[in-house]
Amino acid sequence: MSAAVREGVRQVMAWLHGWVGLLLGWVLFVMCLAGTLSVFKPEIGQWMRPETVATADPADAVQAATDWLAKNSKGSTGWYLTAPNDRSNTVEAAYDSDGAFLYRALDPVSGAAAPRETLGGEFFYRLHFELELPYPWGRLLASLAAMFMLVALITGIIAHRRIFKDYFTFRPAKGQRSWLDGHNALGVLATPFHLMITFTGLVTLASLSMPWGITALYGSDLAKFYQDFTPGFTQRAPTGEKAALAPVAPMLREAQRQLGGTIGRVYVLNPGDKAALVTVYRSDADQIGFNPSQISFDGVTGKPLGTWRETRGAIQTYNIVYGLHMARFAPLATRWLYFLGGVMLTLAIATGMVLWIVKRRERAPLSLGNRILERLNAGFLGGVPLGCAAYLLANRLLPLGLNGRAELEVSIALWTAAAALAIGIALKPRWSWPLLTGATALACAVSALIGLPPSMMSAVLLATAASLALLVRKQLRGPAKRPERKRHAAT
Amino acid sequence: MAGAAQQRAGWRYRANVAARVVAGTIGAYAVAGLFAMALARILPMDRAQAVVPATLLAFLVGPAVTIWAFLARGPWRAWGGVVAFGALFAAIAWAVGAPA
């Protein structure tokens, strides 16, 4: 390949990288930010429920949870529980009651819902791939965005001239040059992570976004596919005849004896029915592969029905790809690396979006479309973090025992982000940026400081607030070195 | 007026880009989907397992086709590649047939 052709290829790739990144950049920003926070999903939950401090043996805690759910849910088709572990002291319960789907963290001793009712880290986790949109649209949009991300990464790599040098290059206060250096460094330093997390993320939604391999072999018989794919998942129709659920603690102890390790998830299907079914999954926190082995019990007699251990190579490969994305296996240090990688990808997207504008502004006055884009950038890139911070602040400020408290926290997050977007559109970027960044810094600092014992998360919030405050200072000083400012001064 | 020649050049450029965009998005997805179908059917594994490599690799075929659609020497070649590979994978999937 001649040098000219190679240069042409780079230009085409840079062009494609820019457009692919721009088109779903804001969606990707939300996904990356929420996904990064989800790395610490249990820890965020702990921070958001400071009153719930009791601990109990996992089997006893799940027993208390099922006792409480038997009294406090109506007409449930299933309770999907996660046993407490060394990262979380509560039983996480997702269940339906009276037709509504609920998520509650249950006290491990009393089994009752935590007084500070909140979705905790589950909000960020769901936002990450469902984007607060109804099924399946949120997941489809997330899949589409992930495909764009993969193309953006690959084209970004091909367009690149000097990957190694960019590890060490940052020229501050030089306008476009600095934004490009920052964008490159953020992308290049963690390229393997970015590729891994995007690819594995795509795979987690594959049954929705790339179902054609399944179609080729199973036609429209999806039930048969799921049965083949996860044969351990036992299901049966409710009989309509009522029967009390047998105590689950002995089932969990039996499960632990047979499966080894610790208890992970516990699914109770058809609770209160004669066809009740209890499936216990071994915790996958000690291995990369997701969803390792499981055992089912008859919910009424407590007799084991069957055990399943996945040993098929291809399925295990899938589970490992899935598990790499979920990062549940990750010990503390690895979890921090996932978090840092996520932060870098989030910032790479944000700097890329800003770069689109900076690059065009330094060449000529911005077109109307790009001026709108510039304002939407401030609204999204400044507003989404503000919404997340407002969610944490609402958790601290809303009174306990409020009806629909958990849902109100989410509404506050979404309305705050919407208001921020409106501010981004209404105000000049040179005012909306410091306003939104400053508000985010303030919300982080206040939520870290009010009322409660200091923790690692409070420290991280304060560090975030401090960094954002420095950013505000820089934003207020203004783009003194930007050429267009000089032009204005000259006229 | 900027002149008819320049306008025509602009129109040609836009059509070129539009053709490649459709090839690189819908076309790329179609080729990836057909690839998944073909590979799922030719892999000598049981059904549930064959789905996995077929689907995982399809996610890499997609971006490859997208990049081809924009690097090919002209829009016709871009579409030619998309159609050729799509037809190839469709033919393989069809020839092997659905399992009984």
Side-chain angles (χ1 to χ4, degrees):
Chain A
M1 217 190 274
S2 76
V5 171
R6 245 175 318 180
E7 210 36 54
V9 166
R10 281 210 187 95
Q11 271 175 15
V12 172
M13 291 296 101
W15 179 89
L16 192 55
H17 177 82
W19 278 101
V20 167
L22 178 78
L23 277 176
L24 288 177
W26 297 319
V27 177
L28 286 167
F29 180 72
V30 175
M31 286 169 70
C32 281
L33 181 63
T36 303
L37 295 172
S38 301
V39 172
F40 289 112
K41 176 178 132 172
E43 287 79 6
I44 292 174
Q46 297 294 95
W47 183 88
M48 294 180 82
R49 297 179 199 97
E51 292 83 4
T52 310
V53 290
T55 53
D57 173 74
D60 295 333
V62 173
Q63 178 68 59
T66 52
D67 291 344
W68 185 83
L69 283 166
K71 288 189 211 98
N72 291 278
S73 68
K74 249 171 68 187
S76 287
T77 57
W79 305 332
Y80 303 90
L81 312 176
T82 306
N85 50 47
D86 53 2
R87 294 174 68 185
S88 174
N89 64 333
T90 55
V91 177
E92 280 177 61
Y95 60 102
D96 59 328
S97 178
D98 256 345
F101 203 80
L102 299 169
Y103 173 92
R104 296 286 180 263
L106 307 179
D107 187 285
V109 174
S110 71
R116 196 175 287 263
E117 194 186 90
T118 176
L119 296 189
E122 182 79 5
F123 166 65
F124 297 120
Y125 174 68
R126 293 277 156 187
L127 178 64
H128 171 57
F129 64 98
E130 293 181 337
L131 300 161
E132 293 291 321
L133 294 173
Y135 183 86
W137 303 110
R139 292 177 183 214
L140 282 175
L141 180 59
S143 300
L144 185 68
M147 290 176 192
F148 272 55
M149 182 84 234
L150 194 55
V151 173
L153 285 172
I154 298 171
T155 51
I157 292 168
I158 302 175
H160 229 72
R161 215 154 310 170
R162 353 154 282 160
I163 293 201
F164 187 71
K165 259 193 186 164
D166 278 344
Y167 274 78
F168 307 101
T169 307
F170 184 63
R171 289 158 283 185
K174 287 204 166 64
Q176 182 188 340
R177 192 68 256 169
S178 310
W179 285 102
L180 186 59
D181 284 350
H183 180 69
N184 285 345
L186 288 162
V188 157
L189 277 169
T191 308
F193 172 83
H194 299 337
L195 287 168
M196 178 280 284
I197 210 72
T198 307
F199 179 74
T200 57
L202 261 173
V203 171
T204 61
L205 296 176
S207 62
L208 202 64
S209 62
M210 189 56 75
W212 308 112
I214 302 170
T215 312
L217 296 180
Y218 287 89
S220 55
D221 192 1
L222 281 185
K224 176 73 182 131
F225 165 71
Y226 283 115
Q227 201 193 333
D228 282 1
F229 201 75
T230 51
F233 185 72
T234 330
Q235 227 177 348
R236 57 189 185 191
T239 59
E241 203 179 323
K242 285 196 173 168
L245 188 69
V248 294
M251 301 183 212
L252 299 190
R253 300 224 157 84
E254 173 64 18
Q256 203 166 354
R257 200 182 61 75
Q258 289 204 21
L259 305 176
T262 54
I263 300 163
R265 283 164 297 140
V266 180
Y267 290 179
V268 182
L269 300 182
N270 312 322
D273 190 275
K274 199 156 179 291
L277 201 63
V278 178
T279 303
V280 184
Y281 294 83
R282 183 184 182 276
S283 167
D284 48 18
D286 58 354
Q287 54 171 45
I288 295 177
F290 176 81
N291 184 13
S293 41
Q294 63 204 74
I295 175 167
S296 296
F297 297 89
D298 185 291
V300 176
T301 65
K303 291 224 167 69
L305 296 174
T307 313
W308 172 256
R309 279 188 186 79
E310 187 55 73
T311 52
R312 296 170 293 172
I315 315 282
Q316 279 182 315
T317 307
Y318 171 83
N319 286 344
I320 285 175
V321 171
Y322 200 108
L324 272 175
H325 192 82
M326 304 298 281
R328 282 222 288 259
F329 70 92
L332 192 62
T334 317
R335 224 174 290 156
W336 275 104
L337 287 177
Y338 265 85
F339 183 79
L340 283 180
V343 167
M344 289 168 80
L345 187 55
T346 310
L347 289 177
I349 293 165
T351 50
M353 298 296 286
V354 172
L355 190 55
W356 177 276
I357 295 299
V358 172
K359 200 166 151 186
R360 279 155 186 80
R361 189 174 52 202
E362 293 197 355
R363 281 188 206 142
L366 288 178
S367 66
L368 177 66
N370 280 333
R371 282 212 303 277
I372 294 172
L373 208 66
E374 189 186 19
R375 292 193 173 205
L376 286 173
N377 257 350
F380 271 102
L381 306 177
V384 174
L386 180 58
C388 294
Y391 175 70
L392 300 179
L393 191 57
N395 174 265
R396 287 297 186 252
L397 295 180
L398 289 177
L400 305 189
L402 200 66
N403 207 11
R405 193 183 180 285
E407 290 69 27
L408 191 57
E409 281 181 6
V410 173
S411 305
I412 288 176
L414 300 181
W415 281 109
T416 306
L421 186 58
I423 288 174
I425 294 167
L427 296 185
K428 280 189 176 159
R430 60 168 306 196
W431 298 118
S432 59
W433 270 115
L435 184 66
L436 295 175
T437 316
T440 310
L442 197 64
C444 285
V446 174
S447 56
L449 290 175
I450 38 181
L452 299 148
S455 62
M456 188 63 192
M457 173 132 165
S458 316
V460 172
L461 280 171
L462 284 177
T464 309
S467 325
L468 292 176
L470 288 174
L471 189 58
V472 172
R473 206 175 74 139
K474 176 74 194 140
Q475 286 166 342
L476 282 177
R477 276 190 189 167
K481 292 198 168 71
R482 276 203 218 123
E484 110 239 356
R485 244 335 246 293
K486 281 179 207 147
R487 269 205 304 276
H488 280 300
T491 47
Chain B
M1 291 306 274
Q6 205 177 334
Q7 250 177 25
R8 199 166 55 235
W11 178 84
R12 284 187 84 93
Y13 175 76
R14 272 155 207 253
N16 181 351
V17 173
R20 291 171 188 264
V21 164
V22 178
T25 50
I26 298 169
Y29 183 76
V31 174
L34 288 166
F35 170 85
M37 295 186 89
L39 189 60
R41 284 186 176 174
I42 55 172
L43 281 175
M45 309 162 95
D46 63 81
R47 285 200 283 176
Q49 293 204 69
V51 164
V52 175
T55 307
L56 260 53
L57 293 175
F59 280 128
L60 300 180
V61 169
V65 177
T66 302
I67 287 169
W68 157 257
F70 286 93
L71 280 188
R73 214 169 294 148
W76 290 106
R77 272 178 72 99
W79 265 105
V82 167
V83 170
F85 276 97
L88 173 69
F89 296 139
I92 293 173
W94 178 79
V96 178

